Amino acid sequence: GIADVSLKSGMLKFSPDPLHTSLTQLVEPTARRLVTKTFRSVMTFMGDRSSGQPLAAARELVADCLRAPSLRDEVLVQVCKQVTTNPSPTSVPRGYVL
């Protein structure tokens, strides 16, 4: 119904809050466990999360994607989510770097 369409369209728009679940279907247990960590890393690198160091977050993100290859599509969707309607003019270019 209408609620489903609204929910789905909101899932792929900028969020100032960390994710609680994956945006894609993940089968691999390691990838499922890393979803919230990778989103925090995306947010940190882009400057949407004040804690942490951006370059360290990017290194962790790459390491997590190497550890769990099925996570790569999830991270791509997470980055797309954060650059879509992001109000920060400095965050969006950093998202494209990822």
Side-chain angles (χ1 to χ4, degrees):
I2 293 173
D4 291 338
V5 171
S6 177
L7 180 63
K8 287 177 186 175
S9 67
M11 287 180 68
L12 291 179
K13 290 183 181 172
F14 168 79
S15 173
D17 304 313
L19 287 178
H20 300 288
T21 188
S22 65
L23 297 170
T24 61
Q25 290 184 324
L26 296 169
V27 177
E28 185 181 344
T30 302
R32 286 197 310 248
R33 283 192 305 273
L34 291 170
V35 165
T36 56
K37 179 182 177 224
T38 58
F39 192 66
R40 285 191 308 270
S41 293
V42 168
M43 292 176 75
T44 299
F45 182 79
M46 289 179 63
D48 296 328
R49 184 171 186 249
S50 60
S51 62
Q53 296 185 350
L55 292 179
R59 279 191 298 272
E60 287 180 23
L61 188 60
V62 170
D64 289 339
C65 287
L66 290 172
R67 188 177 315 124
S70 65
L71 190 60
R72 295 172 190 169
D73 288 343
E74 172 70 22
V75 170
L76 176 62
V77 174
Q78 290 176 1
V79 171
C80 290
K81 173 183 178 65
Q82 284 306 96
V83 299
T84 303
T85 68
N86 189 316
S88 171
T90 57
S91 292
V92 173
R94 292 184 68 89
Y96 289 129
V97 167
L98 286 176

